[in-house]
């Protein structure tokens, strides 16, 4: 809610709803083995991940659009705090991962994603 000097004096800002996403098999667009493994595991658990989804000016490795969860590969020179702050303003949760950890402990990340999805309901389209 924001105060204004003119009528109506109070303005309620609504967060934009996610765009309509057609569910399709996008495994072939995964570029790394870690992305592919995470994509397959999420599909087995009946989630519909979208690889290489653009949010703001940033391309996310894998996104769960209805839940607004972004999975981003950790890289050198990546300002994680700035990304988290920017995404949180848009209503997105961010999970950073390292590719070798996904291949060894994918259940750890999937459990974290499931916990986040249980906390929030998917946004209606």
């Amino acid at each position: 809610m924001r105060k204004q000097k003119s009528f109506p004096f109070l303005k309620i800002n609504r967060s934009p709803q996610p765009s309509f996403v057609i569910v399709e098999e996008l495994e072939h667009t995964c570029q790394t083995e870690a992305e592919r493994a995470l994509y397959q595991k999420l599909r087995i658990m009946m989630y519909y991940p979208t690889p290489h989804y653009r949010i703001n000016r940033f391309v996310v490795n894998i996104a769960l659009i209805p839940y607004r969860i972004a999975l981003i590969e950790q890289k050198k020179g990546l300002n994680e705090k700035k990304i988290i702050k920017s995404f949180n303003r848009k209503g997105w949760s961010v999970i950073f991962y390292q590719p070798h950890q996904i291949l060894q402990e994918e259940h750890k990340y999937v459990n974290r994603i499931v916990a986040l999805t249980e906390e929030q309901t998917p946004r209606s389209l």
Side-chain angles (χ1 to χ4, degrees):
M1 199 172 330
R2 189 175 71 195
K3 293 182 182 179
Q4 296 180 338
K5 293 182 181 183
S6 62
F7 187 76
F9 302 113
L10 292 175
K11 184 176 181 181
I12 298 173
N13 295 334
R14 291 186 178 185
S15 61
Q17 296 294 322
S19 59
F20 180 71
V21 179
I22 297 173
V23 177
E24 58 183 276
E25 192 64 42
L26 297 171
E27 185 177 351
H28 65 279
T29 62
C30 295
Q31 295 176 351
T32 65
E33 199 60 38
E35 285 178 11
R36 193 170 289 109
L38 196 54
Y39 181 91
Q40 290 170 349
K41 188 67 173 177
L42 289 170
R43 286 291 293 133
I44 289 170
M45 298 189 72
M46 300 305 292
Y47 291 106
Y48 298 102
T50 304
H52 305 284
Y53 185 71
R54 183 175 294 277
I55 303 170
N56 296 340
R57 297 179 317 256
F58 195 80
V59 177
V60 174
N61 295 78
I62 294 180
L64 291 173
I65 298 170
Y67 296 98
R68 291 192 175 215
I69 298 173
L71 298 152
I72 302 172
E73 182 180 332
Q74 286 180 329
K75 297 178 183 175
K76 271 191 169 182
L78 196 63
N79 190 346
E80 293 179 14
K81 288 181 181 179
K82 186 176 179 180
I83 292 170
I84 290 171
K85 189 175 180 181
S86 172
F87 280 36
N88 284 343
R89 270 188 259 135
K90 296 284 186 180
W92 285 80
S93 301
V94 182
I95 298 174
F96 289 96
Y97 69 89
Q98 292 188 1
H100 68 278
Q101 287 181 334
I102 290 288
L103 297 173
Q104 295 171 357
E105 305 171 352
E106 68 185 25
H107 63 279
K108 173 184 164 185
Y109 289 97
V110 171
N111 290 340
R112 199 164 151 200
I113 292 166
V114 169
L116 275 174
T117 59
E118 288 175 353
E119 288 176 10
Q120 55 189 339
T121 58
R123 309 259 170 121
S124 61
L125 299 177

